């Protein structure tokens, strides 16, 4: 259950339970859904009569009255949890993602959640859950004072927490969250909290201090040199290089802040001079004034391990879950800057093929045992509490050069183990290491989070009555055993969520499918099966089979819980194959049982732990044709989350409709039309007099770019389109890859070379005008579209810019066009436009992959600020969007990208996405929450599913 804490009177969202005689969720939410149109009334009433759920949050009641009256079914008082996110570090966006995930998975009738946010200036606010679902703090930072309850000081904030919540769950990553700051504040005001105490946080968070402590405790550590402030002795650093057998001119090292988390500001340097320069850059940028220079570990393997404390009170009993090996991946000369590759912020949080995870790691068994033993010992020696994530390296004997480490912990017959980073508040995004490793040993998201909270409660005598809170758990997932699982559950609706494929957006598809699957799991009247659409040839490195006639023979894997929580589709597929390989499966099973036995030694003493809820199941492989027949047999609805390719061009829709299987999103014809950007423009060309404009296009074969001299092609295209700068994009691919602004013929030559060399990405600032990283389609598209580049004025979001308008925005407004994206939903012929969002580009003229899909990145202004778009123009825009949707025969839901004229409300269409991104930070959720009253993610995805279930096929 989640509470809204955004005004002086705290509000509470109460969960519901039909079995307990309370109002069913969507009977309440019927009042909250936006009015689709005059024809949607019957659809809404039909939908609301069918849905039941117990975990999601809905209507609003007075907090104090609720806490007086609300009782758990067993008679105990409801546990009040305060989630605190944000903070001053560059990881505040990731913190918001973690808070969103925690909120999604701990809410229930026995547990109320209030949400709080600390901005970069350490101002504290009580915020609504709707703000937690924002993509990035920049979405709301500049208008917080008008949206949320602000506290005059941190002390006032802590006093509020002491009176309003039972326990705080801090999810602030980096500074103030993991360095002991928030912990010290809570300790001062006697507020119980999850996690390690302030003094031990300070010791563990500082990488330099932690390294000294580890060395004193007998652990092998990585040689390092401390650069602090301006006190830099270049000769001393040169001596350090020499002592560690590094060339002072070219020796490769890692330079990183001592107190900025595990990924912010981490970079590679070569030699003394470069090391000092990069250290000074970190200091001058204000990231940290303590910087470490460390030896670059060559040839080893990075790992990370979650530690869960299952002890009682202040007695620690740490158990290390199955560690994860982090493998950096390169793809020949097509990959960029691979010599400088490290596990940085981008690789950690953006799903690309640059990194792969293996749980358990592909290390010798004695190494895995020593990692678990060492991390457990470290957890105890440093006085950590509840849970933590510990990162390190394994160096095989052949690559081990740490002769001075003899006799220290970490030496094994197979090599050396080094622990390098201690994360006091591990990331808790949906597929984070915490959930990956927990699911491998039987914990669902809800179970592991509630177990952590219950463990923390045991340290506080006044919270002892809440030690049974963890018994409110979802049913276990048996999704891989498809026929058996589905036949067992009478009266339960079956849903197949399919994602993957082989397009350039397959990783985003995995994020979308995972998010849909986890959200729909909240409904106890649904059995939700996650399914991976494998590539055409089961090899991602090959050329995808573009022959739609063969689509029905493609493989689909139904997945057990733990295999979904991966970084890329390649990992999921590899894990499927690995899971059914006898030797690997036996090893994983043995390690899993060992960890579960270790956990049960402590957990069996606690009445709040009612067991593991994720079964150890195997994936099952089908042909697409057989998978669809299964869907028909069990009367399943298919939720399509496959972006691009056969998932969006009408092929999958055609196969499903031929068997009478209902599916989400538009039908075959609309999908085909919208996948082809030229066909979309032609279908809308007759609407110009109604304020719906299209962009002129010039379609070219890839060979034209490769064989024609760039000056000649540039002249031809710019003359035909009558423009000076161009936008280039694949003709039949997704909306996020291969899109670039070209300002001159040299830019065109760079883009053509990237196609010719099959580059996976174009590095930042490769063109004449600044831009971010551009992910490229793989393989390169056969056809590309040139369009005139539409100039818009930069929008700057700021809460502190001088001269900013009242709402904290800077916008010249000389160009009267702004870029928008807007979701539509409903039945065919009666589509409803959600509130449009203005998209803000931070790294160039084209939205980067990060800004579109990476959580904690990218800014969307929802609804558009009145200082930019008037209400009159906004209403006309929505009318145009609905006309577009109905003209294209869209149904279910889609997303339309366009430029909006802020004076007239006219729209200039960019493209239509019939399978839009459905990631945790998707703009569609922001728009659903902007409706009056708001529609929360569980309800939003259920709405989309019900639209599909009710369609006529």
């Amino acid at each position: 259950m989640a509470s809204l804490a955004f005004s002086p009177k705290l509000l509470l969202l109460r969960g519901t339970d039909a079995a307990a005689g309370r109002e069913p969720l969507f009977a309440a939410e019927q009042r909250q859904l936006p009015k689709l149109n005059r024809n949607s009334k019957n659809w809404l009433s039909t939908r609301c009569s069918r849905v039941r759920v117990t975990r999601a949050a809905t209507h609003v009641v007075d907090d104090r009255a609720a806490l007086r009256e609300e009782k758990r079914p067993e008679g105990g008082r409801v546990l009040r949890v305060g989630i605190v996110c944000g903070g001053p570090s560059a990881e505040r966006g990731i913190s918001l993602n973690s808070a969103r995930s925690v909120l999604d998975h701990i809410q229930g009738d026995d547990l109320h959640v209030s949400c709080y946010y600390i901005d970069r200036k350490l101002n504290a606010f009580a915020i609504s859950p709707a703000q937690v679902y924002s993509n990035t703090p920049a979405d709301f930072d500049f208008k917080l004072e008008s949206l949320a309850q602000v506290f005059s000081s941190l002390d006032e904030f802590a006093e509020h927490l002491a009176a309003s919540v039972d326990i705080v769950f801090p999810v602030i990553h980096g500074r103030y969250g993991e360095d002991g700051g928030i912990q010290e504040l809570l300790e001062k005001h006697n507020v119980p909290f999850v996690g390690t105490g302030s003094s031990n946080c300070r010791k563990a968070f500082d990488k330099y201090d932690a390294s000294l402590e580890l060395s004193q405790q007998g652990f092998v550590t990585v040689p390092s040199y401390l650069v602090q402030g301006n006190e830099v002795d270049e000769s001393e650093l040169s001596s350090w290089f020499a002592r560690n057998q590094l060339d002072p001119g070219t020796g490769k090292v890692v330079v990183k802040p001592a107190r900025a988390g595990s990924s912010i500001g981490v970079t590679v340097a070569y030699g003394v001079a470069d090391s000092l320069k990069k250290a000074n850059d970190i200091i001058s940028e204000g990231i940290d004034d303590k910087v470490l220079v460390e030896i670059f570990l060559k040839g080893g393997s990075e790992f990370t391990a979650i530690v869960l404390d299952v002890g009682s009170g202040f007695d620690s009993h740490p158990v290390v879950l199955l560690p994860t090996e982090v493998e950096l991946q390169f793809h020949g000369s097509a990959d960029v800057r691979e010599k400088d590759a490290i596990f940085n912020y981008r690789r950690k949080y953006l799903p690309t093929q640059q990194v792969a995870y293996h749980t358990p790691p592909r290390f010798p068994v004695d190494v895995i045992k020593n990692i678990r033993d060492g991390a457990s010992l470290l957890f105890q020696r440093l006085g950590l509490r509840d849970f933590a994530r510990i990162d390190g390296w394994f160096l095989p004997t052949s690559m081990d050069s740490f002769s001075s480490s003899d006799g220290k912990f970490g030496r094994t017959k197979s090599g050396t183990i080094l622990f390098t980073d201690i994360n006091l508040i591990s990331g808790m995004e949906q597929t984070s290491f915490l959930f990956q490793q927990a699911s491998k040993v039987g914990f669902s998201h809800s179970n592991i989070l509630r177990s952590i909270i219950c463990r923390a409660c045991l340290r506080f005598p006044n919270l002892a009555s809440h030690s049974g809170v963890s018994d409110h758990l979802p049913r276990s997932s048996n999704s891989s055993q498809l026929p058996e699982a589905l036949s067992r559950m009478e009266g339960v609706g079956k849903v197949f969520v399919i994602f993957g494929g082989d397009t350039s957006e397959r990783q985003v598809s995995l994020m979308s499918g995972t998010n849909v699957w986890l959200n729909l799991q909240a409904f106890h009247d649904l059995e939700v099966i996650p399914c991976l659409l494998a590539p055409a040839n089961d090899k991602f490195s090959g050329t995808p089979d573009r022959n739609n006639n063969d689509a029905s023979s493609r493989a689909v894997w139904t997945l057990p819980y733990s295999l979904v929580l991966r970084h890329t589709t390649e990992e999921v597929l590899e894990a499927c194959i690995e899971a059914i390989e006898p030797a690997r499966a036996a090893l994983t099973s043995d390690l899993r049982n060992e960890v579960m036995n270790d956990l049960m030694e402590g957990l069996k003493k606690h009445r709040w732990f009612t067991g593991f809820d994720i079964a150890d199941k195997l994936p099952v492989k089908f042909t697409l044709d057989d998978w669809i027949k299964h869907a028909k047999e069990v009367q399943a609805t298919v939720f399509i989350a496959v972006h691009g390719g056969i998932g969006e061009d009408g092929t999958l829709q055609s196969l499903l409709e031929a068997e009478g299987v209902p599916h989400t999103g538009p039908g075959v014809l609309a999908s085909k039309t919208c996948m082809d950007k030229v066909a979309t423009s032609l279908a809308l060309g007759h609407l110009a007099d109604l304020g719906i404009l299209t962009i002129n296009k010039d379609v070219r074969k890839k060979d034209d770019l490769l064989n024609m001299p760039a000056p000649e092609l540039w002249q031809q295209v710019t003359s035909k389109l009558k423009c000076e700068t161009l936008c280039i994009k694949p003709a039949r691919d997704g909306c996020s890859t291969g899109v670039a602004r070209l300002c001159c013929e040299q830019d065109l030559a760079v883009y053509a070379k990237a196609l010719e060399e099959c580059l996976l990405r174009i590095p930042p600032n490769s063109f004449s005008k600044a831009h971010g990283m551009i992910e490229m389609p793989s393989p390169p598209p056969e056809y590309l579209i040139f369009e005139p580049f539409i100039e818009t004025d930069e929008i700057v979001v700021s809460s502190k810019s001088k001269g900013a308008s009242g709402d904290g925005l800077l916008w010249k407004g000389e160009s009267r066009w702004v870029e928008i994206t807007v979701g539509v939903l409903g039945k065919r012929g009666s589509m409803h436009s959600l509130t449009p969002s203005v998209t803000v580009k931070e790294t160039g003229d084209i939205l980067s992959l990060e800004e579109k899909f990476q959580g904690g990145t990218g800014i969307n202004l929802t609804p558009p600020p009145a200082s930019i778009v008037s209400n009159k123009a906004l209403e006309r825009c929505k009318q145009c969007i609905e006309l577009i949707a109905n003209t294209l025969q869209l149904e279910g839901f889609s997303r339309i990208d366009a430029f909006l004229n802020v004076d007239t409300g006219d729209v200039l269409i960019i493209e239509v996405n019939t399978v839009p991104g459905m990631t945790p930070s998707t703009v569609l959720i922001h728009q659903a929450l902007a409706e009056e009253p708001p529609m929360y993610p569980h309800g939003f995805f259920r709405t989309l599913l019900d639209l599909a279930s009710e369609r006529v096929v």
Side-chain angles (χ1 to χ4, degrees):
M1 185 179 303
S3 67
L4 291 169
F6 63 97
S7 66
K9 176 188 280 188
L10 295 181
L11 298 176
L12 180 64
L13 288 174
R14 297 181 57 198
T16 56
D17 191 342
R22 299 179 187 171
E23 185 180 25
L25 169 67
F26 279 92
E29 197 169 81
Q30 181 172 1
R31 300 192 300 271
Q32 300 186 6
L33 283 171
K35 185 177 180 181
L36 298 187
N37 50 54
R38 287 188 296 269
N39 300 322
S40 62
K41 203 169 189 179
N42 291 337
W43 169 72
L44 278 176
S45 61
T46 301
R47 170 186 171 277
C48 295
S49 67
R50 297 175 53 235
V51 182
R52 298 290 185 273
V53 69
T54 61
R55 287 205 306 127
T58 52
H59 57 284
V60 178
V61 297
D62 183 270
D63 187 4
R64 289 164 296 185
L67 293 178
R68 286 194 300 268
E69 299 172 6
E70 184 85 31
K71 300 289 184 182
R72 291 181 57 238
E74 296 81 4
R77 189 167 63 87
V78 173
L79 182 69
R80 302 170 299 168
V81 178
I83 298 175
V84 183
C85 63
S89 87
E91 289 187 283
R92 58 187 172 276
I94 301 302
S95 169
L96 193 64
N97 296 347
S98 292
R100 179 193 308 132
S101 188
V102 173
L103 174 64
D104 276 344
H105 295 292
I106 67 172
Q107 53 190 347
D109 286 341
D110 55 347
L111 193 153
H112 295 298
V113 183
S114 299
C115 300
Y116 302 92
Y117 174 75
I118 294 178
D119 69 11
R120 69 182 78 194
K121 295 180 179 179
L122 297 184
N123 297 308
F125 301 84
I127 62 173
S128 77
Q131 286 168 270
V132 176
Y133 289 103
S134 298
N135 186 38
T136 168
D139 284 351
F140 59 77
D141 254 338
F142 68 99
K143 52 184 178 180
L144 260 177
E145 292 188 9
S146 64
L147 288 179
Q149 174 190 354
V150 60
F151 297 98
S152 61
S153 66
L154 288 174
D155 282 332
E156 184 193 15
F157 171 51
E159 290 166 3
H160 165 85
L161 291 175
S164 303
V165 304
D166 297 310
I167 191 166
V168 168
F169 198 142
V171 289
I172 298 175
H173 303 309
R175 190 157 58 90
Y176 199 70
E178 296 180 86
D179 64 0
I182 185 70
Q183 292 81 4
E184 185 175 19
L185 176 71
L186 297 173
E187 288 166 350
K188 175 183 174 183
H189 291 270
N190 297 313
V191 179
F193 61 89
V194 173
T196 301
S198 61
S199 61
N200 290 329
C201 277
R202 279 192 292 272
K203 186 189 305 181
F205 181 68
D206 187 308
K207 294 180 177 63
Y208 183 72
D209 290 348
S211 179
L212 293 178
E213 180 69 20
L214 286 175
S215 182
Q216 291 172 5
Q217 294 284 352
F219 288 85
V220 182
T221 57
V222 183
S224 62
Y225 179 87
L226 179 65
V227 177
Q228 189 160 13
N230 296 318
E231 301 172 7
V232 179
D233 188 334
E234 187 169 342
S235 63
E236 193 174 306
L237 180 57
S238 296
S239 299
W240 180 85
F241 265 71
R243 285 197 305 274
N244 288 283
Q245 301 177 342
L246 295 171
D247 187 301
T250 60
K252 189 174 182 180
V253 295
V254 175
V255 180
K256 59 186 179 183
R259 301 167 298 188
S262 60
S263 54
I264 296 297
V266 183
T267 186
V268 172
Y270 293 86
V272 174
D274 191 33
S275 299
L276 289 178
K277 177 186 178 302
K278 288 179 175 173
N280 286 327
D281 288 344
I282 291 171
I283 294 169
S284 62
E285 290 170 15
I287 298 175
D288 196 4
D289 59 3
K290 286 179 69 175
V291 180
L292 283 182
V293 180
E294 288 185 347
I295 288 177
F296 187 97
L297 298 174
K298 297 178 182 178
S301 297
E302 198 164 355
F303 67 81
T304 187
I306 297 294
V307 188
L308 184 67
D309 185 3
V310 294
S312 300
F314 287 91
D315 295 330
S316 177
H317 181 172
V319 175
V320 181
L321 306 185
L322 286 181
T324 299
E325 175 191 354
V326 178
E327 178 192 10
L328 298 186
Q329 295 187 323
F330 309 106
H331 304 275
S333 59
D335 218 340
V336 295
R337 296 179 62 82
E338 62 180 84
K339 69 174 183 176
D340 288 346
I342 53 175
F343 189 43
N344 58 15
Y345 188 85
R346 191 174 198 268
R347 286 186 172 89
K348 184 174 292 187
Y349 295 114
L350 186 68
T352 69
Q353 279 186 267
Q354 292 181 291
V355 65
Y357 301 141
H358 305 276
T359 308
R362 301 165 302 175
F363 301 161
V365 174
D366 70 307
V367 172
I368 297 174
K369 181 181 186 304
N370 274 274
I371 288 172
R372 294 190 64 233
D373 289 346
S376 175
L377 183 61
L378 186 156
F379 189 94
Q380 289 177 304
R381 295 271 179 89
L382 295 182
L384 309 187
R385 294 178 186 165
D386 300 334
F387 78 118
R389 195 186 88 231
I390 298 173
D391 303 336
W393 285 79
F394 166 58
L395 300 178
T397 303
S398 60
M399 299 169 182
D400 184 0
S401 60
F402 295 98
S403 58
S404 62
S405 63
D406 291 342
K408 290 195 171 187
F409 187 92
R411 302 291 295 186
T412 75
K413 64 181 181 180
S414 302
T416 298
I417 298 163
L418 303 100
F419 296 105
T420 56
D421 288 282
I422 300 157
N423 300 272
L424 287 310
I425 301 176
S426 176
M428 285 169 275
E429 294 183 299
Q430 287 182 341
T431 58
S432 67
F433 293 123
L434 172 66
F435 300 125
Q436 285 181 33
Q437 295 180 22
S439 66
K440 272 290 187 183
V441 295
F443 288 104
S444 67
H445 287 63
S446 178
N447 200 353
I448 188 66
L449 290 171
R450 284 169 164 258
S451 294
I452 289 169
I453 293 170
C454 289
R455 168 64 187 95
C457 286
L458 295 177
R459 287 198 305 278
F460 307 97
N462 61 322
L463 296 181
S465 63
H466 296 292
S467 60
V469 70
S470 191
D471 58 10
H472 186 81
L473 295 171
R475 63 177 180 271
S476 61
S477 171
N478 298 305
S479 58
S480 65
Q481 303 300 306
L482 183 68
E484 293 81 3
L486 296 180
S487 63
R488 271 201 310 271
M489 306 201 61
E490 298 272 337
V492 171
K494 283 73 175 178
V495 183
F496 293 177
V497 180
I498 187 167
F499 46 85
D502 47 20
T503 74
S504 56
E505 289 190 294
R506 59 188 177 274
Q507 317 306 358
V508 177
S509 170
L510 174 59
M511 294 172 66
S512 292
T514 301
N515 189 44
V516 170
W517 163 63
L518 286 172
N519 269 282
L520 291 180
Q521 276 199 322
F523 296 91
H524 288 193
D525 67 331
L526 297 177
E527 177 73 5
V528 190
I529 316 296
C531 307
L532 173 72
L533 174 65
N537 54 7
D538 268 13
K539 293 178 183 177
F540 284 92
S541 58
T543 300
D545 184 352
R546 299 186 183 278
N547 185 349
N548 291 338
N549 294 327
D550 296 330
S552 62
S553 64
R554 302 216 2 209
V556 176
W557 293 79
T558 61
L559 306 172
Y561 196 113
S562 67
L563 293 195
V564 185
L565 306 178
R566 299 301 175 110
H567 193 64
T568 64
T569 53
E570 289 84 352
E571 280 183 64
V572 177
L573 181 59
E574 183 177 327
C576 287
I577 296 168
E578 203 174 70
I580 59 176
E581 195 279 314
R584 178 69 177 180
L587 173 63
T588 300
S589 179
D590 288 345
L591 291 170
R592 168 190 167 96
N593 290 336
E594 182 179 325
V595 174
M596 293 176 75
N597 289 336
D598 290 346
L599 287 165
M600 282 307 298
E601 281 187 34
L603 292 172
K604 66 185 179 183
K605 302 172 184 176
H606 306 303
R607 70 183 183 89
W608 49 260
F609 184 70
T610 57
F612 301 103
D613 58 333
I614 300 299
D616 185 15
K617 301 292 185 180
L618 295 176
V620 179
K621 185 178 181 180
F622 299 85
T623 65
L624 179 57
D625 189 46
D626 286 342
W627 178 80
I628 291 173
K629 285 182 169 60
H630 273 298
K632 179 180 182 180
E633 180 183 343
V634 300
Q635 300 181 344
T637 299
V638 173
F639 202 120
I640 300 176
V642 179
H643 302 313
I646 71 167
E648 204 162 353
D649 67 4
T651 302
L652 183 55
Q653 291 81 358
S654 178
L655 292 170
L656 290 167
E657 291 177 15
E659 291 290 338
V661 177
H663 62 82
T664 54
V668 178
L669 179 60
S671 298
K672 284 182 177 178
T673 301
C674 296
M675 183 66 168
D676 188 324
K677 297 176 178 69
V678 175
T680 304
S681 292
L682 291 174
L684 300 174
H686 65 290
L687 301 178
D689 291 342
L690 299 175
I692 297 169
L693 311 175
T694 58
I695 303 174
N696 293 329
K697 295 175 172 59
D698 184 17
V699 183
R700 299 275 177 155
K701 286 186 176 182
K702 177 186 66 176
D703 292 345
D704 289 348
L705 276 72
L706 303 185
N707 300 327
M708 187 180 295
E712 181 182 346
L713 181 58
W714 180 263
Q715 178 61 32
Q716 281 187 15
V717 176
T718 53
S719 297
K720 178 179 178 180
L721 297 178
K722 298 180 175 58
C723 62
E724 295 182 357
T725 61
L726 298 169
C727 179
I728 188 171
K729 63 181 73 171
R732 291 175 58 81
D733 210 314
C735 62
S736 59
T737 53
V739 184
R741 180 183 185 178
L742 309 178
C743 296
C744 60
E745 60 191 46
Q746 289 80 10
D747 290 349
L748 177 58
V750 170
Y751 193 95
K753 186 176 181 182
L755 292 175
E756 183 177 21
E757 296 181 358
C758 299
L759 291 186
L760 298 179
R761 57 197 63 86
I762 299 175
N765 303 322
S766 297
F767 298 130
S768 56
K769 200 169 189 302
H771 65 88
M773 183 81 77
I774 298 173
E775 296 286 334
M776 295 293 287
S778 178
E782 291 302 313
Y783 290 89
L784 295 114
I785 291 175
F786 289 99
E787 297 174 346
F789 184 83
I790 307 300
E791 295 280 357
T792 58
D793 289 331
E794 180 182 22
I795 299 174
V796 178
V797 178
S798 176
S799 57
K800 57 184 179 181
S801 295
K802 293 180 179 179
S805 58
D807 57 6
L809 297 176
L810 288 175
W811 180 60
K812 291 181 181 178
E814 294 174 358
S815 166
R816 306 305 290 167
W817 294 90
V818 295
E819 188 172 348
I820 63 166
T821 186
V822 55
V824 292
L825 75 160
K827 294 187 175 183
R828 188 188 306 180
S830 57
M831 296 295 284
H832 166 73
S833 170
L834 298 177
T835 299
S837 302
V838 173
T839 56
V840 178
K841 297 177 284 290
E842 298 180 278
T843 58
D845 296 302
I846 302 291
L847 283 173
S848 66
L849 189 67
E850 287 94 334
E851 289 171 321
K852 287 197 174 187
F853 299 115
Q854 178 176 305
T857 311
I859 301 172
N860 294 290
L861 306 180
T862 312
S867 60
I868 295 178
V869 183
S870 69
N871 287 334
K872 182 178 180 181
L874 191 61
E875 286 306 309
R876 173 159 170 74
C877 167
K878 293 172 72 171
Q879 292 172 6
C880 289
I881 292 296
E882 290 175 353
L883 179 56
I884 292 166
N886 292 325
T887 299
L888 293 172
Q889 298 185 54
L890 301 181
E891 58 185 311
F893 72 113
S894 296
R895 195 190 76 233
I896 298 173
D897 298 336
F899 293 100
L900 167 66
N901 186 298
V902 299
D903 298 319
T904 65
D906 291 350
V907 295
L908 178 60
I909 292 300
I910 300 173
E911 61 189 3
V912 179
N913 299 278
T914 55
V915 184
M918 291 165 278
T919 66
S921 54
T922 178
V923 72
L924 295 180
I925 289 178
H926 312 166
Q927 293 175 6
L929 286 165
E931 295 292 296
E932 186 56 48
M935 192 168 22
Y936 281 81
H938 293 321
F940 176 67
F941 287 116
R942 185 61 190 256
T943 299
L944 305 184
L945 179 67
D946 285 350
L947 280 166
S949 301
E950 295 159 13
R951 73 191 301 160
V952 178
V953 270

